[in-house]
Amino acid sequence: MSNLNLRLPDDLHTAAAAEADAAHMSLNSAICDALRDWVAVRALSRKEDAILERVMVEDADLLALIREAE
């Protein structure tokens, strides 16, 4: 496991600590959960971008239909 020295604005630290306490978890666990979610969202976004790029390259007709639907 790695250590990280994280600097947070005081108000964010207070709010995050209160939310973690309300969820009966440590602030460290709450931050890990939030970071895990962020990483998952970013990975999904990259995957979606790759799919869209493939559609744009391989199926211009489908892309035209999508654009017409907007």
Side-chain angles (χ1 to χ4, degrees):
M1 183 164 296
S2 299
N3 289 319
L4 171 68
N5 183 12
L6 180 63
R7 293 180 305 277
L8 296 173
D10 292 338
D11 60 330
L12 180 56
H13 180 268
T14 300
E19 290 300 324
D21 187 55
H24 306 289
M25 61 193 315
S26 69
L27 180 55
N28 185 73
S29 292
I31 291 170
C32 287
D33 285 355
L35 186 55
R36 194 173 289 113
D37 290 348
W38 180 79
V39 167
V41 166
R42 298 279 298 187
L44 180 59
S45 178
R46 280 194 316 280
K47 185 176 180 181
E48 290 170 344
D49 288 348
I51 291 168
L52 182 57
E53 180 67 26
R54 193 177 80 227
V55 168
M56 289 175 19
V57 169
E58 296 177 6
D59 199 338
D61 294 336
L62 177 59
L63 181 60
L65 288 173
I66 292 169
R67 287 184 172 155
E68 286 176 12
E70 293 180 317

